[in-house]
Amino acid sequence: MIIHNQTIGQLISSDYSLSDIQRMTHLLEQHKTFNFPRLDNGLFPAAAVISNTEYTGYSNVWVRDNIYLAYAHYLCGQIDVAVKTVHTLVQYFQTHQSRFLHIINGQVGKNEMMQRPHIRFKGETLEEIDQEWNHAQNDALGYFVWFYCKLVREKRLKTNLEQLETISLFVAYFHAIEYWHDEDSGHWEEEPKIEASSIGVVVAGLTEFKRLFQELPLNNDLKGHNTVIDLEFVNELITKGKKALEEILPSECIQEKPKNRRYDSALLFLIYPLQIIKGEIADKILDDVINHLQGDYGIRRYLKDSFWCKNYQEVPLEIRTTLSRDREQWFKDNDRELQLGEEAQWCIFDPIISAILGLKFQQTKETIYLEKQTYYLNRSLGQITSSDSPFGGFHCPELYYLEKGAYVPGDATPLLWTQANLKVALEMMKRSLIINNS
């Protein structure tokens, strides 16, 4: 196992006690590994950028990333942080709800990606960014619905009629775009295809909305407003999504090449934190990622992923920050055919695998799952930067990529999504150890 930071390496163990994990967490907090720069309104940028990495655009806010950051704080008991983030996201969607209405009412076509609800925006002002972007990302919208409804159901977040009306627009929107076979850009913001990872997130969001619907008189509250949702309508949407998943999984996409994709690490998120996929199919997805996408330094998003592939610094800055189709065209124009094994290895997945295995241990108390949970936590800890890193020590990278024969951290270091997932993995380990000692 590769461990970059030797101070952390001295604390890594194959058999942790609860005090060991507390000591590790304290060390990371002491070195500001879990420093989450946050705007006054509660939103998080994607990464802590400096002048040299400002070109990445990661100082902006992504809906998806913010839900993962809010969830990590929620899981660790920092409910106020999570609530403030989600509350501001509601304000953002309320400000731009015309994007939902225009598609629901047929005023614009769903294939116009810039007319879709924007999933990346200016955090300080909640303004949209005037740059062509693959905004057709159903997963990002599904994550928001899932976590918003979860917080309201648990009475963590106070709601009102105006917010409920906005949330109901998401449901009508998913129906209008026929999300169960809609081509979207998904987690990786690339060329549209029908993706199980996106469909699954929307199913999770709709399922949580249904639970909220059953607990609150939403239909009566919303009469006379833009959208009236009934339980049968929601059930039908969920059923269509589940049927699509049955046909596609364990693949990510079963369309014809080049869209076809057998393995994709985004499917892990359907197992945790969403827990919308369970049992044998969840085990198969986990095995697929471990056997086909796992590397020594991290885990690939998918095979032949060109983003931050080998010698990526040779790619012009304007190509790195534009649409995926432009990046792929640049590779073709420059005779850069990507070889298997040259993909970037990401740091957001190992902690999720650790959490998945932790959940299995907590449910079964089978020690094999605790051992595997520990292994993937250790891989996650091993990815934290060393003191001689150009980005400084004790940071969580987005990924490691091949630069002149060596794996080095990508420019989005530290990535707040990685920090959030590591925070979740440590919390899940604490919970497993408490159960193991009981």
Side-chain angles (χ1 to χ4, degrees), residues 50-79:
I50 56 177
S51 58
N52 290 343
T53 59
E54 193 172 342
Y55 79 90
T56 60
Y58 279 28
S59 59
N60 292 312
V61 163
W62 270 258
V63 172
R64 178 190 309 102
D65 295 48
N66 269 258
I67 293 301
Y68 271 93
L69 291 161
Y71 176 77
H73 285 85
Y74 156 87
L75 190 73
C76 295
Q78 296 171 284
I79 308 299

mmCIF file of all heavy atoms in Angstrom, residues 50-79:
data_model
loop_
_atom_site.group_PDB
_atom_site.id
_atom_site.type_symbol
_atom_site.label_atom_id
_atom_site.label_comp_id
_atom_site.label_asym_id
_atom_site.label_seq_id
_atom_site.Cartn_x
_atom_site.Cartn_y
_atom_site.Cartn_z
ATOM 1 N N ILE A 50 -5.534 28.292 -5.393
ATOM 2 C CA ILE A 50 -4.549 29.365 -5.247
ATOM 3 C C ILE A 50 -4.346 29.965 -6.630
ATOM 4 O O ILE A 50 -4.972 29.551 -7.604
ATOM 5 C CB ILE A 50 -3.225 28.831 -4.659
ATOM 6 C CG1 ILE A 50 -2.679 27.684 -5.529
ATOM 7 C CG2 ILE A 50 -3.416 28.366 -3.230
ATOM 8 C CD1 ILE A 50 -1.341 27.155 -5.067
ATOM 9 N N SER A 51 -3.477 30.953 -6.745
ATOM 10 C CA SER A 51 -3.314 31.660 -8.019
ATOM 11 C C SER A 51 -2.971 30.710 -9.163
ATOM 12 O O SER A 51 -3.473 30.854 -10.277
ATOM 13 C CB SER A 51 -2.241 32.743 -7.894
ATOM 14 O OG SER A 51 -0.999 32.177 -7.486
ATOM 15 N N ASN A 52 -2.125 29.713 -8.895
ATOM 16 C CA ASN A 52 -1.702 28.790 -9.950
ATOM 17 C C ASN A 52 -2.796 27.816 -10.374
ATOM 18 O O ASN A 52 -2.710 27.224 -11.449
ATOM 19 C CB ASN A 52 -0.476 27.982 -9.487
ATOM 20 C CG ASN A 52 0.761 28.840 -9.388
ATOM 21 O OD1 ASN A 52 0.819 29.933 -9.938
ATOM 22 N ND2 ASN A 52 1.767 28.349 -8.674
ATOM 23 N N THR A 53 -3.802 27.634 -9.537
ATOM 24 C CA THR A 53 -4.859 26.671 -9.860
ATOM 25 C C THR A 53 -6.217 27.335 -10.063
ATOM 26 O O THR A 53 -7.226 26.652 -10.200
ATOM 27 C CB THR A 53 -4.963 25.608 -8.750
ATOM 28 O OG1 THR A 53 -5.246 26.256 -7.497
ATOM 29 C CG2 THR A 53 -3.682 24.812 -8.632
ATOM 30 N N GLU A 54 -6.215 28.652 -10.108
ATOM 31 C CA GLU A 54 -7.473 29.372 -10.293
ATOM 32 C C GLU A 54 -8.120 29.044 -11.631
ATOM 33 O O GLU A 54 -9.335 29.094 -11.781
ATOM 34 C CB GLU A 54 -7.204 30.878 -10.182
ATOM 35 C CG GLU A 54 -8.462 31.713 -10.040
ATOM 36 C CD GLU A 54 -8.153 33.161 -9.736
ATOM 37 O OE1 GLU A 54 -7.019 33.451 -9.308
ATOM 38 O OE2 GLU A 54 -9.052 33.989 -9.939
ATOM 39 N N TYR A 55 -7.283 28.656 -12.614
ATOM 40 C CA TYR A 55 -7.782 28.333 -13.948
ATOM 41 C C TYR A 55 -8.785 27.177 -13.933
ATOM 42 O O TYR A 55 -9.604 27.036 -14.847
ATOM 43 C CB TYR A 55 -6.609 27.976 -14.877
ATOM 44 C CG TYR A 55 -6.098 26.568 -14.692
ATOM 45 C CD1 TYR A 55 -6.627 25.505 -15.423
ATOM 46 C CD2 TYR A 55 -5.098 26.275 -13.758
ATOM 47 C CE1 TYR A 55 -6.177 24.209 -15.235
ATOM 48 C CE2 TYR A 55 -4.648 24.989 -13.564
ATOM 49 C CZ TYR A 55 -5.186 23.962 -14.314
ATOM 50 O OH TYR A 55 -4.743 22.675 -14.116
ATOM 51 N N THR A 56 -8.732 26.331 -12.914
ATOM 52 C CA THR A 56 -9.612 25.158 -12.856
ATOM 53 C C THR A 56 -11.084 25.537 -12.746
ATOM 54 O O THR A 56 -11.956 24.736 -13.080
ATOM 55 C CB THR A 56 -9.254 24.264 -11.657
ATOM 56 O OG1 THR A 56 -9.415 25.018 -10.445
ATOM 57 C CG2 THR A 56 -7.815 23.760 -11.762
ATOM 58 N N GLY A 57 -11.379 26.731 -12.244
ATOM 59 C CA GLY A 57 -12.768 27.125 -12.022
ATOM 60 C C GLY A 57 -13.351 26.518 -10.765
ATOM 61 O O GLY A 57 -14.545 26.667 -10.483
ATOM 62 N N TYR A 58 -12.508 25.852 -9.969
ATOM 63 C CA TYR A 58 -13.003 25.150 -8.784
ATOM 64 C C TYR A 58 -13.318 26.088 -7.616
ATOM 65 O O TYR A 58 -13.704 25.636 -6.544
ATOM 66 C CB TYR A 58 -11.996 24.088 -8.346
ATOM 67 C CG TYR A 58 -12.075 22.793 -9.135
ATOM 68 C CD1 TYR A 58 -12.530 22.777 -10.447
ATOM 69 C CD2 TYR A 58 -11.688 21.589 -8.574
ATOM 70 C CE1 TYR A 58 -12.591 21.603 -11.168
ATOM 71 C CE2 TYR A 58 -11.748 20.395 -9.287
ATOM 72 C CZ TYR A 58 -12.197 20.416 -10.589
ATOM 73 O OH TYR A 58 -12.266 19.235 -11.298
ATOM 74 N N SER A 59 -13.146 27.382 -7.838
ATOM 75 C CA SER A 59 -13.604 28.334 -6.820
ATOM 76 C C SER A 59 -15.116 28.527 -6.894
ATOM 77 O O SER A 59 -15.721 29.102 -5.989
ATOM 78 C CB SER A 59 -12.914 29.686 -7.004
ATOM 79 O OG SER A 59 -13.190 30.218 -8.291
ATOM 80 N N ASN A 60 -15.715 28.022 -7.970
ATOM 81 C CA ASN A 60 -17.173 28.079 -8.114
ATOM 82 C C ASN A 60 -17.838 26.993 -7.281
ATOM 83 O O ASN A 60 -17.180 26.120 -6.707
ATOM 84 C CB ASN A 60 -17.560 27.938 -9.591
ATOM 85 C CG ASN A 60 -17.133 29.132 -10.418
ATOM 86 O OD1 ASN A 60 -17.375 30.271 -10.034
ATOM 87 N ND2 ASN A 60 -16.486 28.887 -11.544
ATOM 88 N N VAL A 61 -19.163 27.038 -7.247
ATOM 89 C CA VAL A 61 -19.959 26.107 -6.448
ATOM 90 C C VAL A 61 -20.627 25.086 -7.359
ATOM 91 O O VAL A 61 -21.222 25.448 -8.373
ATOM 92 C CB VAL A 61 -21.026 26.890 -5.649
ATOM 93 C CG1 VAL A 61 -22.128 25.967 -5.153
ATOM 94 C CG2 VAL A 61 -20.380 27.608 -4.479
ATOM 95 N N TRP A 62 -20.500 23.821 -7.012
ATOM 96 C CA TRP A 62 -21.220 22.740 -7.676
ATOM 97 C C TRP A 62 -22.296 22.213 -6.722
ATOM 98 O O TRP A 62 -22.019 21.980 -5.540
ATOM 99 C CB TRP A 62 -20.283 21.595 -8.040
ATOM 100 C CG TRP A 62 -19.633 21.663 -9.387
ATOM 101 C CD1 TRP A 62 -19.987 20.972 -10.509
ATOM 102 C CD2 TRP A 62 -18.465 22.415 -9.757
ATOM 103 N NE1 TRP A 62 -19.139 21.264 -11.547
ATOM 104 C CE2 TRP A 62 -18.192 22.152 -11.113
ATOM 105 C CE3 TRP A 62 -17.636 23.316 -9.066
ATOM 106 C CZ2 TRP A 62 -17.122 22.732 -11.795
ATOM 107 C CZ3 TRP A 62 -16.573 23.917 -9.745
ATOM 108 C CH2 TRP A 62 -16.333 23.619 -11.084
ATOM 109 N N VAL A 63 -23.489 21.987 -7.223
ATOM 110 C CA VAL A 63 -24.579 21.460 -6.392
ATOM 111 C C VAL A 63 -24.193 20.107 -5.815
ATOM 112 O O VAL A 63 -24.333 19.852 -4.616
ATOM 113 C CB VAL A 63 -25.887 21.344 -7.212
ATOM 114 C CG1 VAL A 63 -26.965 20.620 -6.398
ATOM 115 C CG2 VAL A 63 -26.367 22.730 -7.636
ATOM 116 N N ARG A 64 -23.708 19.226 -6.651
ATOM 117 C CA ARG A 64 -23.366 17.862 -6.234
ATOM 118 C C ARG A 64 -22.346 17.860 -5.101
ATOM 119 O O ARG A 64 -22.528 17.207 -4.078
ATOM 120 C CB ARG A 64 -22.825 17.073 -7.425
ATOM 121 C CG ARG A 64 -22.391 15.650 -7.132
ATOM 122 C CD ARG A 64 -21.646 15.042 -8.312
ATOM 123 N NE ARG A 64 -22.375 15.197 -9.555
ATOM 124 C CZ ARG A 64 -22.092 16.119 -10.484
ATOM 125 N NH1 ARG A 64 -21.096 16.971 -10.292
ATOM 126 N NH2 ARG A 64 -22.789 16.176 -11.594
ATOM 127 N N ASP A 65 -21.253 18.596 -5.299
ATOM 128 C CA ASP A 65 -20.204 18.641 -4.284
ATOM 129 C C ASP A 65 -20.739 19.168 -2.961
ATOM 130 O O ASP A 65 -20.387 18.667 -1.886
ATOM 131 C CB ASP A 65 -19.052 19.532 -4.757
ATOM 132 C CG ASP A 65 -18.336 18.984 -5.980
ATOM 133 O OD1 ASP A 65 -19.026 18.611 -6.941
ATOM 134 O OD2 ASP A 65 -17.095 18.939 -5.984
ATOM 135 N N ASN A 66 -21.585 20.192 -3.041
ATOM 136 C CA ASN A 66 -22.113 20.782 -1.817
ATOM 137 C C ASN A 66 -22.999 19.821 -1.046
ATOM 138 O O ASN A 66 -23.026 19.851 0.185
ATOM 139 C CB ASN A 66 -22.848 22.088 -2.125
ATOM 140 C CG ASN A 66 -21.941 23.279 -2.044
ATOM 141 O OD1 ASN A 66 -21.939 24.029 -1.065
ATOM 142 N ND2 ASN A 66 -21.100 23.452 -3.068
ATOM 143 N N ILE A 67 -23.724 18.965 -1.746
ATOM 144 C CA ILE A 67 -24.525 17.960 -1.033
ATOM 145 C C ILE A 67 -23.607 16.977 -0.317
ATOM 146 O O ILE A 67 -23.857 16.605 0.847
ATOM 147 C CB ILE A 67 -25.473 17.225 -2.002
ATOM 148 C CG1 ILE A 67 -26.532 18.187 -2.546
ATOM 149 C CG2 ILE A 67 -26.137 16.039 -1.303
ATOM 150 C CD1 ILE A 67 -27.400 18.848 -1.494
ATOM 151 N N TYR A 68 -22.525 16.550 -0.959
ATOM 152 C CA TYR A 68 -21.597 15.632 -0.300
ATOM 153 C C TYR A 68 -20.916 16.291 0.897
ATOM 154 O O TYR A 68 -20.694 15.661 1.936
ATOM 155 C CB TYR A 68 -20.558 15.108 -1.302
ATOM 156 C CG TYR A 68 -21.044 13.862 -1.996
ATOM 157 C CD1 TYR A 68 -21.703 13.933 -3.212
ATOM 158 C CD2 TYR A 68 -20.885 12.609 -1.409
ATOM 159 C CE1 TYR A 68 -22.183 12.795 -3.838
ATOM 160 C CE2 TYR A 68 -21.360 11.460 -2.022
ATOM 161 C CZ TYR A 68 -22.011 11.559 -3.234
ATOM 162 O OH TYR A 68 -22.497 10.426 -3.841
ATOM 163 N N LEU A 69 -20.587 17.562 0.758
ATOM 164 C CA LEU A 69 -19.976 18.280 1.884
ATOM 165 C C LEU A 69 -20.970 18.456 3.020
ATOM 166 O O LEU A 69 -20.629 18.265 4.197
ATOM 167 C CB LEU A 69 -19.469 19.638 1.394
ATOM 168 C CG LEU A 69 -18.273 19.552 0.432
ATOM 169 C CD1 LEU A 69 -18.118 20.843 -0.364
ATOM 170 C CD2 LEU A 69 -17.003 19.252 1.196
ATOM 171 N N ALA A 70 -22.199 18.805 2.670
ATOM 172 C CA ALA A 70 -23.237 18.948 3.697
ATOM 173 C C ALA A 70 -23.504 17.614 4.379
ATOM 174 O O ALA A 70 -23.648 17.542 5.611
ATOM 175 C CB ALA A 70 -24.515 19.497 3.071
ATOM 176 N N TYR A 71 -23.549 16.534 3.594
ATOM 177 C CA TYR A 71 -23.820 15.213 4.168
ATOM 178 C C TYR A 71 -22.721 14.797 5.147
ATOM 179 O O TYR A 71 -23.009 14.237 6.214
ATOM 180 C CB TYR A 71 -23.952 14.166 3.054
ATOM 181 C CG TYR A 71 -24.147 12.773 3.597
ATOM 182 C CD1 TYR A 71 -25.388 12.368 4.085
ATOM 183 C CD2 TYR A 71 -23.093 11.869 3.658
ATOM 184 C CE1 TYR A 71 -25.575 11.099 4.613
ATOM 185 C CE2 TYR A 71 -23.255 10.605 4.186
ATOM 186 C CZ TYR A 71 -24.509 10.222 4.667
ATOM 187 O OH TYR A 71 -24.675 8.969 5.203
ATOM 188 N N ALA A 72 -21.471 15.053 4.798
ATOM 189 C CA ALA A 72 -20.361 14.683 5.683
ATOM 190 C C ALA A 72 -20.474 15.400 7.026
ATOM 191 O O ALA A 72 -20.273 14.796 8.088
ATOM 192 C CB ALA A 72 -19.028 15.014 5.016
ATOM 193 N N HIS A 73 -20.802 16.674 6.986
ATOM 194 C CA HIS A 73 -20.964 17.426 8.236
ATOM 195 C C HIS A 73 -22.177 16.913 9.022
ATOM 196 O O HIS A 73 -22.128 16.788 10.255
ATOM 197 C CB HIS A 73 -21.106 18.918 7.938
ATOM 198 C CG HIS A 73 -19.810 19.574 7.562
ATOM 199 N ND1 HIS A 73 -19.320 19.580 6.278
ATOM 200 C CD2 HIS A 73 -18.891 20.237 8.319
ATOM 201 C CE1 HIS A 73 -18.159 20.212 6.250
ATOM 202 N NE2 HIS A 73 -17.873 20.621 7.475
ATOM 203 N N TYR A 74 -23.237 16.599 8.311
ATOM 204 C CA TYR A 74 -24.449 16.040 8.940
ATOM 205 C C TYR A 74 -24.125 14.732 9.659
ATOM 206 O O TYR A 74 -24.503 14.529 10.813
ATOM 207 C CB TYR A 74 -25.507 15.836 7.857
ATOM 208 C CG TYR A 74 -26.558 14.803 8.152
ATOM 209 C CD1 TYR A 74 -27.728 15.122 8.852
ATOM 210 C CD2 TYR A 74 -26.406 13.490 7.702
ATOM 211 C CE1 TYR A 74 -28.703 14.169 9.096
ATOM 212 C CE2 TYR A 74 -27.378 12.531 7.945
ATOM 213 C CZ TYR A 74 -28.518 12.873 8.644
ATOM 214 O OH TYR A 74 -29.478 11.924 8.888
ATOM 215 N N LEU A 75 -23.419 13.839 8.971
ATOM 216 C CA LEU A 75 -23.100 12.530 9.543
ATOM 217 C C LEU A 75 -22.246 12.666 10.793
ATOM 218 O O LEU A 75 -22.376 11.879 11.732
ATOM 219 C CB LEU A 75 -22.379 11.671 8.498
ATOM 220 C CG LEU A 75 -22.184 10.197 8.863
ATOM 221 C CD1 LEU A 75 -23.511 9.445 8.780
ATOM 222 C CD2 LEU A 75 -21.150 9.535 7.957
ATOM 223 N N CYS A 76 -21.399 13.688 10.813
ATOM 224 C CA CYS A 76 -20.492 13.892 11.946
ATOM 225 C C CYS A 76 -21.089 14.797 13.019
ATOM 226 O O CYS A 76 -20.385 15.254 13.918
ATOM 227 C CB CYS A 76 -19.168 14.468 11.444
ATOM 228 S SG CYS A 76 -18.262 13.339 10.362
ATOM 229 N N GLY A 77 -22.392 15.065 12.915
ATOM 230 C CA GLY A 77 -23.092 15.799 13.958
ATOM 231 C C GLY A 77 -23.096 17.302 13.813
ATOM 232 O O GLY A 77 -23.626 18.004 14.676
ATOM 233 N N GLN A 78 -22.509 17.824 12.740
ATOM 234 C CA GLN A 78 -22.494 19.273 12.513
ATOM 235 C C GLN A 78 -23.713 19.654 11.669
ATOM 236 O O GLN A 78 -23.603 20.100 10.529
ATOM 237 C CB GLN A 78 -21.183 19.683 11.838
ATOM 238 C CG GLN A 78 -19.957 19.422 12.714
ATOM 239 C CD GLN A 78 -18.659 19.629 11.956
ATOM 240 O OE1 GLN A 78 -18.256 18.794 11.146
ATOM 241 N NE2 GLN A 78 -18.010 20.744 12.207
ATOM 242 N N ILE A 79 -24.876 19.469 12.265
ATOM 243 C CA ILE A 79 -26.145 19.625 11.553
ATOM 244 C C ILE A 79 -26.343 21.054 11.067
ATOM 245 O O ILE A 79 -26.858 21.286 9.965
ATOM 246 C CB ILE A 79 -27.326 19.217 12.457
ATOM 247 C CG1 ILE A 79 -27.098 17.814 13.052
ATOM 248 C CG2 ILE A 79 -28.631 19.267 11.678
ATOM 249 C CD1 ILE A 79 -26.978 16.718 12.049
#
